[in-house]
Each structure stands twice: as C-alpha cells, then as structure tokens.
Amino acid sequence: MLYSIAPASLLIINLILNYESLKKYGFREKGQINKKRVPVRYNFFILASNCYLIVDMTWGLLYEHHDIPVLFPFIYLLTVFYFMFMLLTMLTWTRYIVAFLDKDGRSSSFLLHGVWTMFLIGIICLILNHFSHFMFSYNDAHEYIGKTGRNILFLQIVFYITVSLYLLYVSHRSVGRQKVRYKAVALTSIVLGVFLILQIVYVFLPSYAIGLLIGICLVHSFVQLSEKKMNEIHDHIASAMAADYEAISCIEIESGEYLVFSKSQKYMSLNLPETGKDFFRDILDNIDKYVYSEDREYARTLYDRDTILKNLDGRHSFSFKYRLLINDEPRYFLFTMMLDSNSQFLIFYEKDIEDELKAEKINRENQMSTITFGQIAESLASNYDAIYYVDIESSAYVGYEVSNIYGQLEISQSGDDFFIDCMKNIPLVVHMQDCDQVTEFLNKDNLICALDNHKDYSLDYRITVNGKPRFTRMIVRRTSDGSHFIIGVEDVDAEIQREKQHLRALNTEKELARRDELTGVKNKKAYKELEASAQGNIDNGMDYLTFALVVCDANNLKQINDTLGHAAGDEYIKEAAHLLCNIFVHSPVFRIGGDEFAVFLRGNDYESRHELMATLQNQVLENKRTGTGVILASGMSEYQPKVDSFVSDIFERADKKMYEDKQRLKTEQKFIIA
C-alpha cells in the first residue's frame, strides 16, 4: 500500500501540471508544423509517463496480496507492462527532444534510429522472457525476483546519458532563454538516467516514477512556462500592430481554421466570430450580410483557396478593396493577404480606407485639368519634385526636376523605356511594403485603362530617404491629343501627417459628443445609436444575437438636491454611474435621463446577467442598511426572438421591473422608519 502511494500522488501532480497542455494541444501530430508538433510530442511523453505511473501504482496494490493465486496472472501482466511503459517513456521523450531541437541531420537521425532500436530490443526481450526468465520471474510463493537480464536497462541509461551530453553541447552553442531551455531538457535526461539506476538497484522503491516527475517539473518550469511567456510577448506585439488595422486574421491554409484579432469597435459591431473551423466557407456566408450589394459578386471571386494561393505565387502579398456595410453605411475597406514564413498560414489584414479615399477624391477634384505640357509646366511645376513626359506608343521619356520655388524645370534624365527603367528603380527607392502597389500602378495598360474614364490617376506611396519612409504622391494625366503621359511626383509627407492628425481629432470630437459630461459614461445620443443598430439586427432576422437591457433609476435624488444642494446631487449621480460601471465591466453604460441609466448586456455580461443583477441589488440593500452609498432601483429584460419585434418592447419590460423594484425599496424604507 505504501509503495502505491508515491506513484498515485505523482500521477495526480503530473495531471495538474500538464492539464492545460493536454487540453490545448491534444495528440494530433499529422499535418502540424514543427512549432505545434513539439507540444503534441510532449503530450505523448506525458501520456506514457501517466500510463507507467498507473501500472506502477496498480502493481504495488496487487503485490501486497501476491499470495492470492487468482491475482498472480494480473501481477505478471502488470510487470510486463511496467517494463514496456518504461521503454515507451524513453521513446516518447527522445521523439520530443528531436522535435524540440528542430534540427534535421545525422544527429536527429541517430537519436531516432537509436531509440527505436532500443525500444524494439526491449520489447523482444520481454517476449523472450515469457519463455526463458532472464529479465524477471516469480517463485512458487509468487514473489518477484529480478534476473541479470534486466541489466539490459543499463543500455537505456547509457542512451539517456548520450542524449544529455548532446543537449549540453547544443546548449553550449546557444544563448539567452534558449540556452536555459536546452540545459533544463539535458538535466531531465540525466535525472531519468540516475533514477533508472536507482530503480534497478532498489527494486521495491518507486525511484523511476519519482525521476519522471522531477524531470516533468523541470520541463514545466524552465521550458513550458518560458515559452508561454514568449508567446505572451508575441501577442503583445501583435496587439500593437493591430492598432493600424480594423482586424487581423490568422488562417491555417490546410484546414481553414482561423483566429481573428481586433480592437476596432467598428469591426466588432459586426458581431463576427473570433474563431472558426473554415474561414473560406464562413467568409462566403458573411458576404450577403455585410458586403455592399454592388460589390458582392466581386467579393465572392476573391476567397477561393486556390485563387488566393495563385495570387500569392511569387509575391509577398496582394490587396483588394470593396465596401462593407457599417451601421448601414457603405465604407471602403482595403484587404491584404500575406503568407507566413513557413507558407502554412495566411495573414489577412482588414483596414477601413473610406476617409482616406474621400480625402484623395477631394484632392483630385481640386487639381486643375490641363491641356498641354507647356501649361502644366507653367502652372503646376512648383508643386512637384519631378515631372516625366512619356511617349505612350514608344515609352521613350524625358524627366524634369524642379530647380526652384518658381517652378523652373531642368532636364534631369531621359531614356528609351520609362516603364522598364521604373521596374529597375522601384526596389531601390520605394518602401518595400509599397513596391507591389507601385509596380501595379505603373503598368502601361493599367494607366491607359484608368485614364479612359478619368482625367487623372494618382497613387500615394512611400519612398525611403536616409532610412526613413516619406509619403509621396504620383499623379498621371494624358495630353489633350492623347499621345503622351504627364507624370508628376510630389512630396506629400507633411500633408498626409496633417490629414492623419485631423482624422484623429475628428474621431475624438465624435467620441466626446457621445459622452455624458457629468458622469463620463455614454449619453442618450449614444444609446439611441446603439438602439438603432440593435433594431437593425432584429429587422434583418439576426435573432441569434442575444442581449439584455438593464434600466436603473437613482432614488432620493430630488430630496438630496432640495436638502443638500445640486452639487451633492451631482455627486450622487456620479456615484450611481460608478457603481454600474464597476459591476457591468464588459457592457456599455448610458445616462439616458437626469437620474435614469441603461446598460446594454452582451457577451460575458449577458451570460452572467443574473449574478450581476444580484450583485447590484445586494449592494443597494447594503447601502440602505448602512445609510451610505447610492440607492438604485433596477430592472432587467432579455431579448426574446419569438416575442420581441422592437428594442423598445425590451426596454419597456425592464422599465416596468425597475418601477416594481423602486416601489419595493420605498416600502422597505417606510417599514424601516416605522
């Protein structure tokens, strides 16, 4: 019984330490990239270790009663499994090490071939032991007797030592956190070898089981927790990058599984799922709901898996744009597809460019139409850093640079083919993230097609000057006789920065217009906008979007204003808002009247709505009992798809419950006074 306590305790500790890893990564190794194959192989080692501990524990329990004949076949079979799972821990540990090192070559091949050879030899020995007891046997009293043949396990010890020496050699050539991880894995192999020696010497002590747990604790402390911390750092970096985009999605190409990361309220208002099993199917399903009607057919052509991979062939990324419906308003979004470095995942960026396009349109409308190159040189030359006069038929060109602020032009270069020269210069001058865009823009056929329907065609992009990016604008026009392109290039870095600053200021102004000045929570205007959005969801049949409304009213406000003054009343209202924000931390709080508030519950707050309401009402009762704090009457009502056609119906139910609560609070107050 005492023998079994140790492996049983170690089994429980092992499951506690590695529950998260077992649940998160499972045992599916096929099709995984190496980064995900490492934790899967480690899970196999944990599984083999758990099986060994279970067998060791069970053997100890049954061996206490080895004198009972009916138990002997089970004891013998458990002994066989004991040695088999001991070998299996060595096999799974070595396979984990090979994946952890992430190295192809003779060393990894030697480790894998060596461990498989050792494993097979051990299995063969266990089979032969059934006929000739050279590893272990039992006497007539069913007592365990270790034979000299079990010393074959010393080969396993030698293998552990060899693996440890190799890992120490690898750690010596490594630096930083990786060096510590390699040393921890090497030390684990040493521990397994040392405790295996103790197990051979002291047969009736669970030495190898203790060695397994010590090794697992080393890996957990110095490898898994370290990698978890690094993953958190990577997540913070991704979060910072996501600030420039409405959403970033990571899509596994083979399976279609995806994860969406977004901080944009605009994007989150669409209520799209954050994860899914098939990106290519889900996005086609969402096109009819969220894409502007005129752009739906175009959008459907873009999300075929083979089409995406074909567009990325030989390219780092490709982009496209169409309009999404945001609060029933069509807005242009720019979508960019990229491959990760291992070509296993697609990175999908979504950015709202509506404001930028409007700014570009205004700029184009303000530009003067031109007739001849001479007139352009006189009126507009001072606006450009360079102007190119390109023969459309032959592509021969002359380039001019502006020599001073009065627009005087000097010939700076000329050539036989403007477009070929551009393709050579783009990688040297243009910012690497904009090279594909500029290359596509400066295609002769593309320019001809664009200018058939427009007087000018422009592109904003970045060039690299002294290692720093600067925004530049290229504008293309055609001469009145259609024989030449006139291409102007100007530095618009200051203008773009001003536009960005203006947009930030504009967004701040819009946000302030939706804030209650006294409490800092959202105001009635913001509530009406959210109510309209929710009503739109109901009208469009999206009855799967669950939510609830909480209506609250601050009691005794008039009495406080009359007796203590309006300043005290204002503090009372702010305290009410503060209480609601502290309880409904994941939901927007609105002040919709002098002493009236509303809370829109969704997500986690919706799932915990009854607990949150109980917390609110208990706090109010405590405030009444102590005579401190705000007294809030409250009522809640959920959206019922089969009953509710209007958001106002839900509000009225919640409002009615609030008044019932208000009467109850007043009645209790009178009772207390009496």
Side-chain angles (χ1 to χ4, degrees):
M1 185 67 178
L2 290 174
Y3 180 95
S4 301
I5 291 174
S9 303
L10 300 176
L11 175 64
I12 293 171
I13 295 171
N14 192 16
L15 289 172
I16 293 172
L17 284 177
N18 295 286
Y19 173 77
E20 184 178 347
S21 175
L22 292 169
K23 182 180 178 182
K24 183 176 181 180
Y25 298 106
F27 301 98
R28 182 177 176 270
E29 184 177 345
K30 185 178 180 181
Q32 299 279 19
I33 61 174
N34 191 68
K35 186 177 179 181
K36 286 192 174 182
R37 192 163 62 241
V38 174
V40 172
R41 287 193 176 181
Y42 183 70
N43 283 352
F44 276 112
F45 170 66
I46 296 299
L47 179 62
S49 301
N50 288 340
C51 291
Y52 173 83
L53 293 172
I54 291 170
V55 169
D56 199 20
M57 174 186 68
T58 310
W59 183 88
L61 288 171
L62 296 184
Y63 192 74
E64 290 286 331
H65 309 284
H66 64 272
D67 54 337
I68 301 175
V70 72
L71 295 178
F72 176 69
F74 298 102
I75 295 172
Y76 186 89
L77 185 62
L78 285 170
T79 308
V80 174
F81 279 121
Y82 172 89
F83 285 103
M84 186 180 73
F85 283 119
M86 184 180 288
L87 291 167
L88 195 59
T89 57
M90 176 187 66
L91 174 64
T92 53
W93 175 247
T94 306
R95 292 183 76 244
Y96 163 70
I97 289 174
V98 171
F100 179 75
L101 291 172
D102 193 19
K103 296 179 183 293
D104 296 324
R106 286 181 294 180
S107 300
S108 296
S109 179
F110 168 77
L111 289 176
L112 288 174
H113 284 89
V115 74
W116 275 109
T117 302
M118 294 277 297
F119 180 76
L120 292 174
I121 290 173
I123 295 298
I124 292 170
C125 289
L126 285 173
I127 295 171
L128 294 176
N129 185 75
H130 181 69
F131 304 100
S132 175
H133 300 139
F134 65 95
M135 290 186 68
F136 69 89
S137 67
Y138 287 86
N139 60 21
D140 293 339
H142 297 159
E143 295 175 333
Y144 176 83
I145 301 173
K147 299 289 187 176
T148 55
R150 67 193 175 91
N151 291 331
I152 193 173
L153 293 176
F154 278 103
L155 291 176
Q156 187 175 345
I157 295 168
V158 172
F159 188 79
Y160 277 133
I161 294 173
T162 303
V163 170
S164 302
L165 292 174
Y166 176 65
L167 285 166
L168 289 172
Y169 167 72
V170 174
S171 70
H172 178 69
R173 302 179 62 183
S174 305
V175 295
R177 294 177 183 268
Q178 195 71 333
K179 186 184 188 76
V180 175
R181 295 189 193 112
Y182 285 143
K183 283 185 176 180
V185 176
L187 184 57
T188 299
S189 295
I190 294 172
V191 168
L192 293 176
V194 170
F195 278 83
L196 184 55
I197 294 173
L198 295 175
Q199 185 68 65
I200 294 171
V201 175
Y202 303 103
V203 176
F204 293 101
L205 290 177
S207 304
Y208 189 63
I210 296 171
L212 280 173
L213 187 67
I214 293 173
I216 288 168
C217 288
L218 285 170
V219 174
H220 180 78
S221 299
F222 294 99
V223 179
Q224 288 185 304
L225 292 181
S226 175
E227 290 178 346
K228 183 179 180 181
K229 185 174 182 181
M230 289 301 297
N231 289 334
E232 289 174 352
I233 293 172
H234 293 160
D235 290 342
H236 290 319
I237 294 172
S239 176
M241 292 178 62
D244 290 335
Y245 298 92
E246 308 306 317
I248 299 177
S249 305
C250 182
I251 307 148
E252 187 175 38
I253 296 174
E254 183 179 350
S255 67
E257 291 187 21
Y258 63 96
L259 174 69
V260 182
F261 184 83
S262 175
K263 286 187 173 181
S264 166
Q265 293 294 330
K266 196 182 302 178
Y267 183 86
M268 292 169 67
S269 69
L270 298 175
N271 293 314
L272 292 170
E274 295 182 358
T275 60
K277 296 294 185 182
D278 192 335
F279 170 83
F280 307 100
R281 180 196 64 199
D282 291 352
I283 198 163
L284 289 176
D285 291 342
N286 289 329
I287 284 175
D288 287 334
K289 297 178 183 177
Y290 305 112
V291 177
Y292 187 55
S293 58
E294 295 180 6
D295 297 344
R296 288 172 188 166
E297 288 302 319
Y298 169 66
R300 288 192 185 95
T301 65
L302 300 169
Y303 293 105
D304 176 74
R305 192 195 325 255
D306 295 334
T307 301
I308 292 172
L309 295 177
K310 183 178 179 181
N311 287 329
L312 285 170
D313 187 22
R315 300 167 63 184
H316 182 64
S317 65
F318 79 96
S319 301
F320 47 88
K321 62 184 178 183
Y322 55 79
R323 288 165 288 184
L324 294 182
L325 288 171
I326 305 295
N327 296 326
D328 295 328
E329 175 191 353
R331 295 183 66 86
Y332 269 105
F333 274 64
L334 179 68
F335 303 90
T336 302
M337 282 282 188
M338 297 176 63
L339 275 173
D340 77 318
S341 57
N342 295 313
S343 298
Q344 298 290 326
F345 293 89
L346 289 170
I347 311 300
F348 184 47
Y349 300 92
E350 304 175 46
K351 184 176 183 180
D352 186 339
I353 59 169
E354 180 69 22
D355 294 332
E356 295 177 21
L357 291 178
K358 287 180 178 178
E360 288 179 5
K361 183 179 179 181
I362 293 171
N363 289 333
R364 285 196 299 270
E365 290 174 350
N366 292 336
Q367 293 167 358
M368 295 177 61
S369 58
T370 60
I371 302 175
T372 64
F373 178 72
Q375 292 173 323
I376 292 174
E378 288 181 12
S379 60
L380 298 178
S382 61
N383 294 328
Y384 298 100
D385 300 300
I387 295 177
Y388 297 92
Y389 188 62
V390 184
D391 188 298
I392 294 178
E393 184 175 351
S394 68
S395 299
Y397 70 98
V398 177
Y400 300 86
E401 286 187 355
V402 180
S403 61
N404 57 41
I405 61 173
Y406 299 108
Q408 295 180 3
L409 298 176
E410 294 180 354
I411 296 177
S412 61
Q413 58 181 314
S414 61
D416 296 329
D417 196 315
F418 173 80
F419 300 99
I420 291 178
D421 289 350
C422 283
M423 294 306 110
K424 294 178 181 177
N425 291 327
I426 284 172
L428 304 176
V429 178
V430 178
H431 191 281
M432 63 179 183
Q433 292 182 356
D434 295 345
C435 283
D436 291 344
Q437 190 179 10
V438 176
T439 300
E440 184 178 349
F441 180 83
L442 285 175
N443 176 282
K444 184 195 285 190
D445 293 335
N446 177 51
L447 294 178
I448 292 173
C449 181
L451 292 173
D452 281 342
N453 301 314
H454 300 87
K455 291 181 179 179
D456 54 55
Y457 186 40
S458 65
L459 175 70
D460 288 352
Y461 61 97
R462 291 165 294 177
I463 62 173
T464 303
V465 180
N466 297 325
K468 296 182 179 179
R470 288 191 66 84
F471 280 96
T472 303
R473 178 173 296 149
M474 184 182 297
I475 301 177
V476 184
R477 297 185 179 91
R478 220 169 7 199
T479 57
S480 58
D481 60 3
S483 63
H484 289 78
F485 289 130
I486 301 168
I487 303 175
V489 179
E490 61 175 318
D491 184 338
V492 293
D493 194 71
E495 177 185 342
I496 295 295
Q497 297 303 334
R498 283 196 302 271
E499 288 178 1
K500 287 185 176 180
Q501 186 175 359
H502 174 69
L503 288 174
R504 285 194 293 267
L506 185 61
N507 289 333
T508 301
E509 183 180 342
K510 289 180 179 178
E511 178 64 21
L512 290 174
R514 290 162 175 79
R515 288 283 173 187
D516 178 54
E517 292 183 5
L518 177 62
T519 62
V521 301
K522 297 180 181 295
N523 59 18
K524 188 171 184 178
K525 179 180 180 182
Y527 175 78
K528 289 298 183 183
E529 291 177 352
L530 182 60
E531 182 183 49
S533 175
Q535 186 63 51
N537 291 339
I538 294 174
D539 294 341
N540 291 328
M542 291 190 283
D543 52 13
Y544 55 86
L545 301 176
T546 56
F547 66 91
L549 287 176
V550 177
V551 178
C552 302
D553 188 88
N555 285 8
N556 306 324
L557 179 62
K558 185 177 185 305
Q559 181 182 353
I560 292 171
N561 284 335
D562 292 342
T563 58
L564 301 177
H566 286 278
D570 289 346
E571 289 299 320
Y572 192 72
I573 292 171
K574 287 194 284 186
E575 187 178 351
H578 185 69
L579 174 62
L580 292 174
C581 290
N582 283 343
I583 292 175
F584 302 103
V585 293
H586 301 297
S587 299
V589 177
F590 305 85
R591 185 185 178 204
I592 56 176
D595 55 359
E596 192 173 3
F597 295 87
V599 187
F600 190 88
L601 300 184
R602 56 190 172 192
N604 291 336
D605 278 3
Y606 177 82
E607 297 299 328
S608 306
R609 59 193 182 280
H610 297 298
E611 292 85 348
L612 294 174
M613 285 297 292
T615 300
L616 173 62
Q617 292 171 350
N618 288 337
Q619 183 61 54
V620 169
L621 292 175
E622 177 65 16
N623 291 348
K624 280 186 62 180
R625 186 183 68 80
T626 60
T628 61
V630 68
I631 307 300
L632 274 176
S634 58
M636 179 185 69
S637 180
E638 297 94 344
Y639 167 49
Q640 302 173 22
K642 294 182 179 180
V643 175
D644 297 321
S645 300
F646 301 98
V647 177
S648 58
D649 297 338
I650 308 163
F651 183 92
E652 288 173 4
R653 285 201 305 271
D655 193 52
K656 182 179 179 182
K657 291 180 180 179
M658 181 273 292
Y659 274 106
E660 292 173 357
D661 188 47
K662 194 177 189 73
Q663 293 302 317
R664 179 177 60 82
L665 290 171
K666 288 182 178 179
T667 301
E668 290 179 359
Q669 182 70 23
K670 291 177 181 179
F671 178 76
I672 292 171
I673 293 171

